[in-house]
Amino acid sequence: MSSFLYQRPIHNPLSDPYSISPRSSSNSQKSYSIFSPTALLVLLSLMVVMGVFFPWVGMRESLFSVTKPSISKWRDYTLAQAVSFVAQNGTVIVCAVSQPYLPFLNNWLISITRQKHQDKVLVIAEDYATLYKVNERWPGHAVLVPPALDSQTAHKFGSQGFFNFTSRRPRHLLHILELGYNVMYNDVDMVWLADPFPYLEGKHDVYFTDDMTAVKPLNHSHDLPPPGKKGRTYICSCMIFLRPTSGAKLVMKKWIEEMKDQPWSRAKKANDQPAFNWALDKLANKVDLYLLPQAAFPTGGLYFKNKTWVQETKGMHVIIHNNYILGFEKKIKRFHDYGLWLVDDHALESPLGRI
């Protein structure tokens, strides 16, 4: 893996393996003084050539033989290689990001770094700008699974671009499971306040959070909640932990199947979450599912809108999801208002630095 992540030595065009020797000729026996006009002219010419031409050759070598390979190698970087590189103790933390969400990625990474889990993070870039930017700052921690998406449409909730963006998620997760790794998926409009891994109790197949705002008792059941008004549950597809079991793989395959049955259209602007819920509901009796505690993993509609509940559960919160609101600026403002927008003052804590 290390041979892939580091550039091979640059060939020096000035290092010639063959020494330059004078031609042997009967006409070459004539000797010249180094102080003769001819010899001085030859020396001057050599100095000009060595001082001007060869540095330009070196500059071209640097520009065209270093920069381009360092970019092109990330195009060939595979998900299997990336997961193998970042995984620790058989576990990887994954997010999917398009270029407009880079500030949110950095904010999320700062919070993860504070919990000392940043080294196992893999960014699935949905466009080449994100792939290059992340790997330039943090080599090996971003991968693009072709085809690349249009970064300007992939972030607009309800658009076909957003559907295309989110519909790839179960395929990425299934691939990682088939490689034999545990995988945690997060949306990057989240902030970690504590380490979530101690909450992944037992050996269940799939762990998830409820997206409903109704307050649950602190000792609520960890079973899949009952269906809501639309005949299905309201589980969030933005925070998931999966073990590489046959049950978890079955859920991912069913999720993919449900997405195919509910394609995006102008009349029905679908996204991936209803399909995820249908998959869980239909497999609830076949797969070991685990609902994470609401106090630790609240939906944004609860955390940001129920001050009484927040006060009653103070100190219990682990991951905060900035959902139930649309728009970059609105999300950033809400994070600012709650002291959760970290990039302005703490960017250097991120593996990416200030971007």
Side-chain angles (χ1 to χ4, degrees), residues 10-19 54:
I10 302 169
H11 171 65
N12 185 348
L14 297 180
S15 60
D16 191 342
Y18 302 101
S19 61
F54 282 102

Side-chain angles (χ1 to χ4, degrees), residues 4 19 22 46 108 144 160 193 202 235 283:
F4 184 88
S19 61
L46 285 172
W108 176 71
L144 189 147
Q160 186 171 7
L193 300 182
I235 298 303
L283 295 173

Side-chain angles (χ1 to χ4, degrees), residues 132-300:
Y132 300 148
K133 175 60 72 174
V134 174
N135 280 334
E136 174 190 6
R137 301 293 186 91
W138 200 22
H141 282 268
V143 65
L144 189 147
V145 180
L149 299 179
D150 180 355
S151 63
Q152 296 307 310
T153 61
H155 68 278
K156 297 178 181 177
F157 185 84
S159 69
Q160 186 171 7
F162 184 81
F163 176 82
N164 294 340
F165 172 75
T166 58
S167 66
R168 291 152 59 96
R169 185 182 311 172
R171 296 183 184 277
H172 298 328
L173 297 178
L174 177 59
H175 190 175
I176 294 170
L177 292 176
E178 289 176 336
L179 291 169
Y181 295 91
N182 302 309
V183 55
M184 175 182 284
Y185 175 84
N186 277 190
D187 273 2
V188 293
D189 60 344
M190 292 184 169
V191 169
W192 289 25
L193 300 182
D195 186 347
F197 284 92
Y199 293 82
L200 305 175
E201 299 175 354
K203 295 293 182 180
H204 308 285
D205 297 321
V206 184
Y207 299 72
F208 45 79
T209 63
D210 199 340
D211 212 17
M212 296 295 286
T213 60
V215 174
K216 300 177 185 294
L218 292 179
N219 62 345
H220 68 75
S221 169
H222 296 290
D223 294 336
L224 185 70
K229 294 179 180 179
K230 295 184 178 181
R232 56 172 169 78
T233 49
Y234 290 88
I235 298 303
C236 187
S237 60
C238 307
M239 159 60 198
I240 309 169
F241 181 79
L242 306 163
R243 300 193 189 279
T245 61
S246 58
K249 295 173 190 176
L250 183 62
V251 171
M252 294 302 102
K253 291 174 183 177
K254 188 63 176 175
W255 188 2
I256 295 168
E257 181 182 313
E258 291 292 329
M259 293 283 283
K260 290 179 180 178
D261 292 341
Q262 302 174 47
W264 186 90
S265 67
R266 293 187 181 278
K268 185 179 179 182
K269 298 180 179 180
N271 61 71
D272 69 305
Q273 188 157 300
F276 179 57
N277 278 270
W278 285 120
L280 293 175
D281 294 345
K282 293 176 181 180
L283 295 173
N285 295 325
K286 299 179 181 179
V287 179
D288 188 354
L289 306 176
Y290 187 87
L291 176 66
L292 290 164
Q294 184 186 55
F297 303 89
T299 182

